[in-house]
Amino acid sequence: MDAECSQLLPHVCRVLVDNRQLMTDDSIYEKLLDWFKGLLGTVNDCMAVSTEDLLSENPCIPELFHQVLSIDEADHSLLAFSVRLVGVLAAQEGGFKYLMRKRKKKQTVHTYIPVSVPRRCASLHCVSAGRKAEHSGDVTAVLSGWRSQSVQRSTVPGNRHRNSDDIISKMFGECIYTSGTWKDASIRRAWIQGLLSMVQHQEALCFLQTGGILKTMLDLLMDSSLFVASAVNDLIAHVFFTFVKLTGLSDIGHVSDLPAVALRILGHLEKLLTCGVSQSVTRSLKALSAIFRDCSDTMARVLWPRIAELINSLLKQKPSHDTPHLKELLLAVTRPPDVCQLAVCVLLQPLDSVLRVSTTDFGQPAKERRILSRLRSPRTINK
């Protein structure tokens, strides 16, 4: 980060938490996230500065998180932005450990605003232009106005969170998913996106197993918001394979060889798949599709026999059950040739069931049965 951006960033953080102003353009948060991701991407490529160094050299960033969490009724867009940004910063192990530190004492953010503002750091300028003039072309004039109007915040309203708690636990632990803000789907989706960014290393995996986070993640499969339920599929698949990868289990020949968390995820999806409730079955099929889309051929060979048995049982009970989502799952497992053959056999189960119960409608069921038998033979599939 260059000198101008370093000087501007503390002011941006103060603008974001200043509840006297109105933020009318939520796209500002997306621009800021993109700016941080681009900055961290450049840092990672050059290997010059770590996320830990970025946070220690810019204390206004963790202070922003503390202030957002201290507000009794924080703006939901700002809270969602903060959760996602914490996930991005915690993707590096060093940044994760820094944000896990206890806050020993209150920090004071010193703001410096240059009179003549450079045109670089466009996203920062966009925010620091003030919430009342987000689209103003005269950035220097607006910043000068902010400099004359800003006051030092000696106290932060509310005491919902204790200062001794670390930022990671506040943003992703029990205190967020048991609060009133959790009712907002945007907060739940931000929580998912933050975890998806953060779960990249062993420290994050250990944190994931504390405080009911895994249970909350799995419960979101049945969320009333389709956007949330859809987003959590990718998180579940990512967590599943990250645990497999980082636990060092490279030689997995059977489902029982999977790490405990992966087995817990698989068991939960199997439970939904066999519960008999249409919505639960649909959500399970979608999550399984996400897992099979990302897994290797070897992992597909390990997982599919166990899942295929449950799907066969499901189709025998109700052949037309969730056909589009079942089709999506079967398409996801068609990469390894041997697994593809097994998937085709499952795909033919509904046709077999239709022929058994439709002797009147089809006229010549025996002929269709012979065709089905030929299609299901391994020699025909190989062709």
Side-chain angles (χ1 to χ4, degrees), residues 208-210 212-219 239 261 264-265:
L208 204 62
Q209 299 177 70
T210 63
I213 297 176
L214 274 175
K215 181 181 182 302
T216 302
M217 179 187 75
L218 294 173
D219 288 345
V239 169
V261 171
R264 180 177 175 182
I265 292 173

Side-chain angles (χ1 to χ4, degrees), residues 25-203:
D25 184 6
D26 285 349
S27 67
I28 293 295
Y29 297 118
E30 291 297 329
K31 293 174 183 176
L32 272 175
L33 278 171
D34 290 341
W35 182 80
F36 273 105
K37 289 177 181 178
L39 175 66
L40 293 173
T42 302
V43 167
N44 292 337
D45 291 340
C46 296
M47 298 299 292
V49 182
S50 67
T51 306
E52 184 177 6
D53 292 335
L54 176 68
L55 292 169
S56 61
E57 293 170 5
N58 297 275
C60 58
I61 301 175
E63 179 64 18
L64 167 67
F65 302 142
H66 283 300
Q67 290 199 23
V68 169
L69 288 165
S70 297
I71 300 173
D72 280 333
E73 296 182 4
D75 177 74
H76 287 185
S77 296
L78 175 59
L79 179 57
F81 160 77
S82 300
V83 171
R84 293 175 63 188
L85 181 56
V86 168
V88 170
L89 295 171
Q92 285 188 27
E93 190 169 344
F96 179 90
K97 290 180 178 179
Y98 188 96
L99 294 171
M100 283 290 289
R101 297 175 184 173
K102 304 294 184 182
R103 191 188 188 196
K104 296 180 181 180
K105 60 181 180 179
K106 182 180 177 182
Q107 299 173 343
T108 301
V109 180
H110 299 283
T111 303
Y112 170 80
I113 306 177
V115 175
S116 178
V117 183
R119 304 303 269 178
R120 286 173 288 183
C121 309
S123 296
L124 298 184
H125 292 320
C126 190
V127 178
S128 59
R131 300 184 181 193
K132 290 182 178 179
E134 289 161 0
H135 304 289
S136 172
D138 190 355
V139 177
T140 304
V142 176
L143 282 177
S144 299
W146 269 108
R147 182 179 57 178
S148 62
Q149 295 174 16
S150 298
V151 296
Q152 179 68 35
R153 297 170 66 95
S154 59
T155 59
V156 180
N159 56 1
R160 180 161 52 97
H161 301 284
R162 293 178 302 168
N163 285 342
S164 59
D165 292 340
D166 61 87
I167 293 172
I168 297 287
S169 296
K170 287 180 180 180
M171 292 291 190
F172 296 101
E174 184 178 358
C175 58
I176 189 167
Y177 56 74
T178 58
S179 67
T181 57
W182 192 250
K183 297 178 182 179
D184 190 323
S186 67
I187 302 299
R188 301 196 299 275
R189 190 164 185 265
W191 185 83
I192 292 169
Q193 293 170 323
L195 283 179
L196 191 59
S197 299
M198 184 176 70
V199 179
Q200 307 290 340
H201 46 79
Q202 193 67 48
E203 292 288 336

Side-chain angles (χ1 to χ4, degrees), residues 4 64 66 139 153 158 191 210 240 287 331 341 357 360 375 382:
E4 289 92 356
L64 167 67
H66 283 300
V139 177
R153 297 170 66 95
W191 185 83
T210 63
F240 183 93
L331 289 174
Q341 292 182 14
V357 300
T360 305
L375 288 173
N382 289 330

Side-chain angles (χ1 to χ4, degrees), residues 291-303:
I291 289 176
F292 277 101
R293 276 196 302 268
D294 295 339
C295 73
S296 63
D297 292 354
T298 301
M299 183 61 69
R301 293 185 182 97
V302 171
L303 296 177

